[in-house]
Amino acid sequence: MQTENHQLALSDVAQRSKVPPHLLRYLLQELEQRSIAAEKVLPHTVLDQYADPTAFLSHDARLTYQQSRLIILKALALTGDESLGLAVGHRQSITSLGLVSLGVMASATGREALELGIRYHRLTGSMLEIDLEPSSGNALTMIARSRFHEPVLLTFFVQELFAAMVGVVRFTTGSKQAINRIEMMQTPPEKKSLFQDALGSSVIFEASRNAIEFDADHLQRPLATADRFVLHEVETLLAGMMQEESTRLDFLKSVEEEARRRLKNNPSIEEIAGVFSMSERSFRRKLSASQVSFRDILSQIRQSQAMELLLWSRLSSEQIAAELGYSDPRVFRRAFKQWTGETPSQFRKSATQL
């Protein structure tokens, strides 16, 4: 049984975190190559909304943690592949992160490219906390830390990040010797050779951290694609995007907190707008500017809370429905089936089998 504080912390992550659309694009490509249709992993809410099930993965897509979580868990279950994240990361190229990728290529050295990528990694929707720390011999170590608490997802995201990062470093430095070592917390896989081939370096499994140590000399070499004028323009745009994203998330976080606090009483939009001293019309307009509606926010909160309670508590479906503000448990069950394609009991059972 998890503590209340743990549940609240996970809920906060679940509401605000986003998985980058490009990651799911490459995941669907990998599944297609394995003859697994997108319809088998995408949420019913997506399939009902789009004629083309991949159209929602546009540049402006805002995917909630729970939407992304379900897609990835279904993909892992369907493939039974413990190295799926590795394959998805290996599919990506130097251009996969859009504007951030352009900044990386325009940087003066490998070190500056690495620092820029980590500085703006949140704009890509990264699900990991990434830090860059000095290590022995003036080398640098990139450390990936979890922003959530599900080992199977942490393993997937670390594999994807490391495989993609290796590709970027090889492109920018032009060398396979730019990485000294790789440490991963996951247990040793059955096919270690897959990791050797994808990462090009010996991997230490069951390590105390997820980390890549880069060779200092290689990182100091100038990049052939360096352009200080382009870099300045790109950084100006990225800094503005960071500020805009921060402001947007702060507002949405406040709205979510107020709605969550009143969830059992099924809060109305007028009630929450009043908390911010706004008219309903102005409140709707501000939410619309963030590409979200109040109904979306309530649905996402309920979906997240429902999944957490099913995963981490022993409450019955009827008790969970009451916690989420549903007066009729049958309405909750129908809503949950629409979100996930499973009933609450099916979801709880399948989650314990992963």
Side-chain angles (χ1 to χ4, degrees):
M1 187 74 65
Q2 305 297 309
T3 65
E4 180 180 2
N5 287 337
H6 176 82
Q7 288 181 354
L8 290 175
L10 184 57
S11 178
D12 189 50
V13 170
Q15 291 305 317
R16 292 186 289 118
S17 297
K18 303 292 185 291
V19 172
H22 84 274
L23 187 157
L24 295 179
R25 289 191 202 114
Y26 291 112
L27 173 60
L28 293 182
Q29 287 179 17
E30 182 65 26
L31 294 179
E32 182 180 11
Q33 183 172 314
R34 303 183 187 203
S35 300
I36 298 175
E39 289 82 356
K40 291 188 176 181
V41 297
L42 296 180
H44 284 224
T45 49
V46 171
L47 296 175
D48 292 341
Q49 187 176 356
Y50 295 92
D52 176 1
T54 62
F56 82 108
L57 295 177
S58 66
H59 173 72
D60 296 326
R62 298 283 181 182
L63 300 176
T64 66
Y65 169 85
Q66 293 294 3
Q67 285 177 319
S68 307
R69 174 186 180 278
L70 286 174
I71 292 171
I72 294 169
L73 288 179
K74 286 182 179 180
L76 288 167
L78 286 170
T79 61
D81 185 358
E82 62 180 347
S83 62
L84 182 62
L86 206 64
V88 173
H90 190 61
R91 281 185 167 272
Q92 299 172 44
S93 69
I94 185 63
T95 61
S96 294
L97 297 181
L99 197 57
V100 174
S101 291
L102 181 58
V104 166
M105 290 188 288
S107 297
T109 66
R111 180 180 183 126
E112 291 183 16
L114 192 60
E115 290 172 342
L116 181 141
I118 292 175
R119 185 158 62 249
Y120 295 110
H121 82 278
R122 284 187 179 276
L123 290 177
T124 70
S126 173
M127 289 300 292
L128 298 171
E129 295 287 354
I130 305 175
D131 297 311
L132 199 60
E133 299 179 359
S135 51
S136 59
N138 201 33
L140 286 177
T141 299
M142 183 191 76
I143 302 174
R145 298 185 173 91
S146 176
R147 291 169 62 189
F148 47 91
H149 303 280
E150 291 185 86
V152 65
L153 287 181
L154 174 60
T155 296
F156 175 88
F157 283 119
V158 168
Q159 289 179 5
E160 181 271 332
L161 171 67
F162 282 13
M165 180 62 67
V166 166
V168 170
V169 170
R170 286 179 180 175
F171 180 91
T172 54
T173 65
S175 172
K176 294 184 178 181
Q177 283 73 50
I179 295 175
N180 291 336
R181 63 175 180 174
I182 295 175
E183 302 172 44
M184 301 182 79
M185 297 174 70
Q186 73 169 84
T187 56
E190 290 185 9
K191 298 181 180 179
K192 292 184 180 181
S193 60
L194 289 177
F195 287 75
Q196 176 69 39
D197 294 341
L199 303 179
S201 178
S202 296
V203 180
I204 301 172
F205 294 102
E206 294 184 310
S208 60
R209 61 182 184 174
N210 293 301
I212 300 179
E213 183 181 273
F214 300 96
D215 180 86
D217 292 336
H218 282 88
L219 290 184
Q220 293 302 332
R221 296 176 183 176
L223 301 188
T225 53
D227 189 317
R228 62 188 179 92
F229 298 104
V230 171
L231 179 62
H232 175 72
E233 293 177 358
V234 169
E235 286 226 70
T236 300
L237 290 172
L238 290 174
M241 291 168 64
M242 284 282 282
Q243 180 59 49
E244 182 180 337
E245 185 73 357
S246 178
T247 300
R248 185 190 72 85
L249 287 178
D250 285 345
F251 173 67
L252 291 181
K253 178 184 177 183
S254 297
V255 172
E256 289 165 358
E257 287 175 346
E258 294 298 334
R260 189 181 297 112
R261 192 175 293 124
R262 298 164 172 79
L263 193 60
K264 290 182 71 171
N265 298 319
N266 194 19
S268 67
I269 188 171
E270 296 89 351
E271 179 183 355
I272 302 301
V275 174
F276 295 91
S277 301
M278 299 172 67
S279 67
E280 180 185 339
R281 183 177 180 182
S282 297
F283 186 67
R284 287 184 186 275
R285 188 183 301 118
K286 189 163 185 178
L287 289 177
S288 179
S290 294
Q291 300 179 332
V292 69
S293 68
F294 183 67
R295 181 178 179 179
D296 291 336
I297 290 175
L298 278 183
S299 178
Q300 289 170 12
I301 292 173
R302 284 176 170 143
Q303 182 179 351
S304 174
Q305 292 282 81
M307 290 180 175
E308 288 171 27
L309 291 172
L310 288 167
L311 287 169
W312 304 105
S313 79
R314 297 179 181 175
L315 296 180
S316 66
S317 292
E318 290 74 16
Q319 291 172 314
I320 292 175
E323 288 291 320
L324 303 181
Y326 290 99
S327 57
D328 187 343
R330 292 173 297 181
V331 176
F332 163 61
R333 293 191 186 97
R334 285 197 298 269
F336 195 87
K337 183 70 179 290
Q338 184 180 24
W339 294 331
T340 67
E342 297 177 306
T343 65
S345 59
Q346 289 171 337
F347 175 84
R348 177 175 267 168
K349 182 178 179 180
S350 61
T352 59
Q353 294 173 346
L354 288 171

